[in-house]
């Protein structure tokens, strides 16, 4: 885990596969989720996201959880297993993208990427406001931020032909920023989005 950049200070070494098996046995339970999160144990918090009931998550709870993120995998697991299902997911993605702390900011862009994949019910117009935020934050050189910015840009651009054109435009403008992080984000995204636009791989995989 440590070799992959995961904070192991309060980790037990339980795999996500095993955590999902436990979650299936437990079922969704708001009280259990709150208790698991309160332990502060890395895997218990991932499990909390798996068993929490999205409809019962208040904005205050979401804010508390996001502010306590201390590892990229916890951030992504909570966003991908819980927060994307909340009624305020789009609003929070935009708000968190402007945060200063690394994992809070990552949460905003991770949530954008995950919403682009999971929320088939949302219109493409819901994702267009994310593109200016991606352009604005593309100069942040912190590793876990720039990777999430890139992830969001690619996933939005692979949602539809219209969003592909919009995301490619954003990527080309980002390339013009001239900073190392912006160049990396743009070159990587343009390569994948141009392949999508020309009928290449339509995979929604994240990195």
């Amino acid at each position: 885990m440590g070799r992959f950049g995961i904070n192991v200070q309060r980790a037990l070494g339980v795999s996500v596969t095993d955590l999902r098996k436990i979650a299936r046995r437990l079922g969704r339970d708001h009280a259990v989720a709150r208790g698991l999160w309160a332990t502060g144990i890395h895997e218990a918090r991932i499990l909390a996201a798996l068993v929490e009931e999205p409809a019962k998550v208040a904005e205050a709870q979401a804010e508390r959880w996001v502010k306590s993120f201390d590892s990229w995998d916890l951030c992504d697991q909570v966003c991908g297993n819980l927060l994307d299902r909340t009624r305020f997911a789009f609003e929070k993605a935009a708000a968190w993208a402007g945060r200063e702390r690394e994992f809070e900011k990552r949460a905003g862009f991770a949530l954008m990427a995950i919403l682009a994949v999971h929320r088939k019910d949302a219109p493409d117009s819901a994702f267009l406001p994310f593109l200016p935020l991606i352009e604005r934050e593309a100069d942040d050189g912190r590793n876990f931020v720039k990777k999430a910015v890139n992830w969001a840009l690619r996933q939005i651009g692979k949602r539809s032909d219209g969003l592909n054109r919009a995301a490619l435009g954003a990527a080309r403008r980002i390339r013009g920023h001239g900073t190392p992080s912006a160049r990396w984000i743009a070159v990587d995204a343009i390569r994948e989005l141009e392949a999508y636009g020309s009928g290449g791989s339509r995979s929604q995989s994240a990195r």
Side-chain angles (χ1 to χ4, degrees):
M1 291 169 69
R3 286 198 300 271
F4 285 95
I6 295 170
N7 185 340
V8 295
Q9 187 175 1
R10 300 200 67 184
L12 304 176
V14 182
S15 72
V16 173
T17 299
D18 285 340
L19 291 175
R20 291 188 184 280
K21 291 177 183 177
I22 296 168
R24 285 194 291 271
R25 292 201 302 269
L26 290 173
R28 294 281 182 178
D29 192 309
H30 180 60
V32 169
R34 291 180 64 184
L36 286 164
W37 190 269
T39 67
I41 296 170
H42 185 78
E43 291 89 346
R45 288 188 159 181
I46 293 174
L47 183 58
L50 291 166
V51 303
E52 179 60 284
E53 299 174 72
K56 293 186 178 179
V57 177
E59 290 189 48
Q61 177 185 340
E63 288 287 350
R64 287 195 303 273
W65 284 26
V66 167
K67 288 176 181 177
S68 64
F69 287 166
D70 60 359
S71 192
W72 68 266
D73 67 316
L74 177 61
C75 169
D76 295 0
Q77 289 288 339
V78 175
C79 287
N81 294 313
L82 175 64
L83 295 177
D84 65 315
R85 296 166 173 82
T86 61
R87 61 189 179 280
F88 43 78
F90 283 85
E91 175 188 342
K92 292 300 182 183
W96 294 336
R99 296 285 175 86
E100 178 56 34
R101 294 183 66 247
E102 186 171 13
F103 293 117
E104 290 181 51
K105 193 169 189 174
R106 181 183 175 91
F109 292 105
L111 196 50
M112 291 179 196
I114 292 161
L115 287 168
V117 177
H118 290 178
R119 291 293 295 270
K120 306 298 186 185
D121 59 316
D124 284 353
S125 59
F127 296 90
L128 288 172
F130 291 155
L131 294 177
L133 305 180
I134 289 169
E135 292 186 50
R136 185 189 72 192
E137 302 299 338
D139 298 322
D140 191 324
R142 291 176 292 180
N143 189 48
F144 294 120
V145 173
K146 74 176 184 180
K147 286 187 174 182
V149 171
N150 170 268
W151 182 19
L153 182 58
R154 290 185 295 108
Q155 296 306 102
I156 291 170
K158 292 189 292 182
R159 187 176 168 88
S160 70
D161 290 341
L163 285 175
N164 180 262
R165 290 189 293 272
L168 270 170
R172 288 166 182 149
R173 289 189 294 273
I174 289 169
R175 184 171 55 186
H177 289 194
T179 62
S181 62
R183 285 195 298 271
W184 180 85
I185 289 165
V187 170
D188 184 73
I190 288 169
R191 182 188 308 113
E192 188 165 330
L193 294 175
E194 285 183 340
Y196 175 98
S198 63
S201 172
R202 302 262 166 152
S203 168
Q204 295 280 5
S205 62
R207 288 182 297 166

